[in-house]
Every structure is written in structure tokens, then in C-alpha cells.
Amino acid sequence: MKTTSTILLALAALAASTAASTALAAPLEAGWYLGAGIGRASHAVSPGFPPDTRMDNQGNAYRLYGGYQFNRYLMLETAYIDLGSVKVDSPTEYARIKARAMTFGVIGMLPVWSGFSLTGKLGLASLNADAEAGTKSGSSRSESSATRATMLAGVGLRYTITPNITVRADYDHMQKTGIFARGGKLGNHMMSLGVDYRF
């Protein structure tokens, strides 16, 4: 009888331990999350500039984002993205463009292997640009600011470290949109690494 009781207690302890381990390992498939990411952004500006113009259209960028994950396959996410700036110089003129965006998108996820998921994103971005331009002699200077809506698309890879923490790599593309006077357009690409915390 004592042996039987000992075996039953051991089995109960093993079952409890297994259940606890499973609960700890299981991902939280639904819930709110917040995150931050850093990376590099590049800007596409059109129309083009004269041959003697130098343009620096790449720089550091960051994002702050949050959203709701419904299950293993679907999330809704909104983000604020600082896209850095574009610097244009010619022998006689200059221009500076500072870009940022608010985005809202649907993210689909495809679990592929042991905590890894491929992602695809589709949504809208509210792209804002502040521009300053003038002559290097100082005889002319102007400032402008504009906001336009544009399409957002992206792909990425996620890895769940713990039920609450996920690391991710993202590539986002914002379609060119007419944001400047005289038909000037601005589009953006961003590659970033980020960390999510799920509540």
C-alpha cells in the first residue's frame, strides 16, 4: 500500500511538473503588445536632380509601435516612425527634408519552425515631410510642411524567445506620393530590428 501511494504521489508530481512546464513554454497567442525598433531608412525623391547635385538619402531611423495579436496568424499594429532626413546639395543650392510617419497595418504570420514566423504587412501610412530649401548665398530660403496618405507594405521574420518577448526583423516600404509643390514625390524604405513585449 505504501509503495502504491508513493507511486501515485510521484505520478501526480510528474503530471503537475509537466503541466507547469507546458504552460510556461506555450506562447501567449492573444493579447496587447508594445515594442521599439531601430534601423536604416532610405528615401526615394522624384523628379531627379541635376548631375552636379549630391544627395544623401539614407540615415538612421527608429520606430515605436503597439498592437493586438489575435492568434498565431493575425495582428493589428500601429506605429510612429522617425525616418530621418534627406540632404541635397548643389554648387549653389541646398535642400533638407525631414520625414516621419504614422502607420496602421494588418500583419499576417506564418509559423515555420520552433518559435520562428514569417510575416507580411499591408496597411496605410500618413507620411509627413518638413522641407527647407534655399541658395547657399543666402539670397533665398523657403520652408514647407505637408502630410499625405500612402500605401504601406512589408515583410519580416519573428522569433519568440519567451511567451512575453519576441524579437523581429522588418522591411517596410511606403509608396511614393506627391508631397511637395510642383509634383515632387517622396517614398521610403526601412529595415529594422525590434523587440516586442506582450502583456
Side-chain angles (χ1 to χ4, degrees):
M1 184 68 176
K2 184 176 180 181
T3 302
T4 303
S5 299
T6 302
I7 293 173
L8 290 175
L9 287 173
L11 290 174
L14 179 62
S17 175
T18 302
S21 298
T22 301
L24 288 173
L28 298 178
E29 294 189 351
W32 297 96
Y33 67 92
L34 293 173
I38 58 173
R40 297 281 292 178
S42 62
H43 307 270
V45 182
S46 63
F49 296 94
D52 60 352
T53 301
R54 299 190 311 273
M55 183 171 69
D56 179 4
N57 66 339
Q58 298 186 16
N60 296 328
Y62 70 87
R63 73 168 79 228
L64 300 173
Y65 55 87
Y68 188 81
Q69 180 174 340
F70 293 94
N71 50 46
R72 299 175 65 197
Y73 306 103
L74 183 66
M75 299 191 302
L76 292 180
E77 182 174 286
T78 186
Y80 168 79
I81 307 176
D82 186 316
L83 292 158
S85 61
V86 181
K87 300 177 182 178
V88 180
D89 284 287
S90 75
T92 59
E93 298 178 317
Y94 73 92
R96 303 288 184 268
I97 304 167
K98 175 71 175 175
R100 63 191 67 84
M102 290 292 298
T103 67
F104 180 80
V106 178
I107 300 177
M109 296 176 289
L110 177 65
V112 288
W113 180 73
S114 187
F116 286 93
S117 296
L118 298 175
T119 64
K121 180 189 300 180
L122 191 63
L124 293 173
S126 177
L127 180 62
N128 173 263
D130 296 327
E132 176 189 345
T135 58
K136 291 188 174 179
S137 66
S139 61
S140 175
R141 179 178 177 276
S142 64
E143 295 183 354
S144 63
S145 181
T147 301
R148 297 287 186 274
T150 188
M151 292 294 298
L152 168 73
V155 294
L157 177 67
R158 297 165 53 86
Y159 176 65
T160 300
I161 299 176
T162 73
N164 299 94
I165 298 176
T166 299
V167 294
R168 58 194 277 183
D170 291 288
Y171 169 79
D172 291 315
H173 168 70
M174 295 179 204
Q175 185 177 353
K176 270 187 183 180
T177 183
I179 200 167
F180 305 117
R182 301 177 184 176
K185 294 184 177 182
L186 177 68
N188 310 89
H189 309 265
M190 180 178 176
M191 298 186 68
S192 64
L193 296 175
V195 179
D196 300 359
Y197 180 80
R198 190 173 291 107
F199 300 97

